[in-house]
Amino acid sequence: MYVLEDIDLADIFITSGAKVEEFAKHTAHPDIFSLPDQVEGIAVGFYRAEGKKCERCWKIRLEVESIAGRDDLCLRCADAVDNFVAAAD
């Protein structure tokens, strides 16, 4: 179990997604950055997220455009907006 397993890294890094993987899987990948002489066993890779941008949180999510009546929002933001509207009534 990773120390960061239960932490939403995407929120910490303010990005659409983030995950921890074993370094050995990506040692030869050209899009991976590492400083093996300074920090052994750690590498960082950046990839374009798949999906559409949520108009509320600006995260790229696959479910954007799939929620009836909230097609410009991700599931999390659609739920937040629905709860806000319900509380206002």
Side-chain angles (χ1 to χ4, degrees):
M1 179 167 117
Y2 293 108
V3 173
L4 302 174
E5 188 172 39
D6 295 329
I7 297 173
D8 187 352
L9 296 174
D11 282 341
I12 291 171
F13 299 141
I14 310 173
T15 188
S16 295
K19 60 184 173 178
V20 175
E21 293 183 348
E22 290 183 38
F23 179 69
K25 292 181 181 179
H26 303 292
T27 55
H29 197 284
D31 294 331
I32 300 295
F33 173 78
S34 65
L35 298 170
D37 296 339
Q38 298 173 11
V39 185
E40 187 176 333
I42 302 292
V44 177
F46 299 92
Y47 305 93
R48 184 173 297 277
E50 294 181 19
K52 302 282 184 180
K53 182 173 80 171
C54 173
E55 292 299 318
R56 182 173 176 265
C57 69
W58 287 24
K59 290 187 177 185
I60 308 297
R61 298 284 189 227
L62 290 172
E63 72 265 14
V64 174
E65 296 185 347
S66 69
I67 305 164
R70 302 272 186 232
D71 61 342
D72 59 342
L73 301 177
C74 68
L75 291 172
R76 179 175 166 245
C77 289
D79 186 51
V81 169
D82 289 344
N83 285 329
F84 180 78
V85 170
D89 287 339

